[in-house]
Amino acid sequence: MLEKLESVYQQAQAELTEIRDSAALAAWKSRYIGGKGAVSQLLRGIGGLTPEERPVFGKRANEVMAALDEAYAAREVLVQDIEMAADLEGAALDVTLPGRQPAMGRLHPSTQTLRRFSEIWAEMGFSVYRSRDVETDEMNFTLLNFPPHHPARDMQDTFYTTDPDVILRTHTSAGQIRAMRELGGGGTKPIRVVLPGMCYRFEQITNRSEAQFYQVEGIAVGHNITMSDLKGTVAEFARKMYSPDAKVRYRASYFPFTEPSMEIDIECFLCGGEGCSVCKHTGWLEIAGSGMIHPVVLRNGGYDPAEWSGFAFGMGPERIAMLKHGITDIRNFWANDSRFLEQF
Ligand code: DAH
């Protein structure tokens, strides 16, 4: 029996060194050291031994059991390592692969244009004045020399609230009076500001007109400000915004709050003035309305028009972004389609 025990011990050890997975390890365990394993089976036959043989066998069987237990525990650790390594190999992690680019947000094309505007106007000494989106009819129209029921009000279809005097501003010109009153020191100080902001019009939405859009207004009030200051300033803006040799032209126009009034065109930067579909074959693109601030408006802002004069202009950054990038549908600006926005 002792010989049998030794041979079981040898065999168990030999088999154990070949085992590489946990299923085989579990089978080995029940075959040799489990309750019904080979060592236990032999121990159960101890009754057939002589009283002298019994303690010798029993002692040796316990030693064998303990040695196999220990060998099992050591092998178990090794098998776990082997299996983990195989798992990792299966997952095939290639650390040299380039990572995935996270999707990056970016500034909306209108915001980009607005920021560029503010930068250029700041270089020319204009600070930013933030007026309000919700306005009074008085600021938006009356004080800008649109008398009640004047047909010029129809040029700008208005969103009204339940209070007939409270409207959404139809143009940033609505902030002119506020800026003059707030910064002009009661008609004693010159001012030079731009007023960027959202405007709202109750319009049929088409590829060329939206119910909301940005404008950037500008006003300069001082002593001896003339039409040539306006022309020079706008021409300088065009050179900075488009190109150092941008050409500008002025066309007589009408706005109730300026006199004289003019519209400002720049030579089409897409065709260089030759004529193309963007400039409708005229060679020119309209970029702003402008003029000398009407004496009535100056007075409403607190200035004495006998001593003070000023110019004003208003531009639409979306329109300018459309011209610059060849965008044919203004609705893209509010559709929030990332395929459009990603291009800027
Ligand atoms: N407020 C005018 C509009 O929305 C644009 C404009 C024209 C603004 C002439 C001005 C200006 O400041 O002088 O159509």
Side-chain angles (χ1 to χ4, degrees):
M1 278 246 300
L2 211 48
E3 272 149 45
K4 180 82 176 121
L5 179 66
E6 293 304 334
S7 94
V8 164
Y9 182 36
Q10 300 288 319
Q11 182 158 355
Q13 277 186 318
E15 278 179 28
L16 191 61
T17 57
E18 300 294 315
I19 286 175
R20 307 185 64 79
D21 66 89
S22 40
L25 188 65
W28 181 92
K29 187 181 182 186
S30 70
R31 197 156 59 245
Y32 292 106
I33 55 176
K36 290 182 184 155
V39 179
S40 301
Q41 302 268 348
L42 286 172
L43 267 171
R44 248 172 248 133
I46 202 165
L49 295 177
T50 63
E52 294 79 44
E53 283 171 330
R54 279 181 210 165
V56 181
F57 180 79
K59 181 170 176 269
R60 182 61 190 150
N62 284 336
E63 280 168 8
V64 167
M65 193 62 126
L68 290 179
D69 267 342
E70 205 174 299
Y72 169 82
R75 193 70 198 177
E76 192 179 31
V77 172
L78 194 73
V79 165
Q80 280 170 0
D81 283 352
I82 292 170
E83 288 183 338
M84 200 195 297
D87 270 2
L88 285 178
E89 214 168 291
L93 175 70
D94 181 352
V95 294
T96 65
L97 275 177
R100 285 203 190 110
Q101 282 282 338
M104 292 281 280
R106 64 189 73 208
L107 293 177
H108 191 279
S110 297
T111 310
Q112 290 181 27
T113 313
L114 276 176
R115 291 206 179 169
R116 181 70 193 124
F117 271 36
S118 299
E119 240 169 58
I120 294 173
W121 290 115
E123 283 167 17
M124 290 196 267
F126 286 77
S127 46
V128 170
Y129 178 84
R130 293 212 169 270
S131 193
R132 52 186 77 181
D133 290 37
V134 179
E135 261 300 359
T136 59
D137 177 277
E138 195 184 23
M139 290 289 172
N140 196 82
F141 291 121
T142 314
L143 296 173
L144 290 177
N145 199 32
F146 289 80
H149 313 297
H150 190 280
R153 288 179 177 230
D154 295 344
M155 285 160 60
Q156 304 181 0
D157 291 316
T158 308
F159 281 115
Y160 290 90
T161 65
T162 45
D163 180 341
D165 289 329
V166 179
I167 62 168
L168 293 182
R169 70 173 160 203
T170 60
H171 54 176
T172 45
S173 307
Q176 285 192 15
I177 303 288
R178 293 189 187 279
M180 285 190 259
R181 287 184 180 173
E182 216 170 285
L183 309 171
T188 59
K189 287 196 274 185
I191 60 171
R192 226 189 294 172
V193 286
V194 282
L195 299 81
M198 189 68 79
C199 302
Y200 308 84
R201 290 191 197 173
F202 184 50
E203 297 226 41
Q204 180 79 36
I205 296 172
T206 68
N207 62 329
R208 300 196 59 83
S209 63
E210 253 290 4
Q212 67 178 77
F213 52 89
Y214 280 111
Q215 279 191 347
V216 176
E217 189 84 8
I219 51 170
V221 179
H223 291 298
N224 307 317
I225 291 187
T226 65
M227 198 82 162
S228 37
D229 294 312
L230 169 59
K231 287 167 134 182
T233 306
V234 171
E236 178 64 8
F237 171 82
R239 283 191 286 269
K240 292 191 182 212
M241 186 73 197
Y242 302 104
S243 85
D245 44 31
K247 281 203 201 91
V248 178
R249 97 178 165 180
Y250 312 91
R251 276 179 298 116
S253 186
Y254 169 76
F255 301 101
F257 39 91
T258 45
E259 183 57 38
S261 303
M262 59 188 194
E263 269 163 271
I264 300 168
D265 298 343
I266 64 158
E267 195 177 68
C268 179
F269 41 76
L270 292 170
C271 63
E274 306 251 307
C276 66
S277 60
V278 171
C279 62
K280 299 205 197 81
H281 305 284
T282 61
W284 296 92
L285 299 168
E286 186 192 320
I287 60 161
S290 68
M292 299 305 292
I293 301 175
H294 196 287
V296 168
V297 176
L298 278 174
R299 196 173 295 116
N300 289 337
Y303 290 96
D304 176 359
E307 282 186 36
W308 298 84
S309 59
F311 63 71
F313 56 83
M315 330 186 140
E318 277 102 10
R319 233 191 90 69
I320 289 180
M322 284 173 81
L323 295 173
K324 199 165 170 175
H325 301 295
I327 300 164
T328 50
D329 194 328
I330 197 169
R331 290 170 290 196
N332 283 321
F333 286 94
W334 297 113
N336 256 351
D337 184 332
S338 56
R339 290 169 303 178
F340 171 76
L341 298 172
E342 269 164 9
Q343 298 175 51
F344 302 96

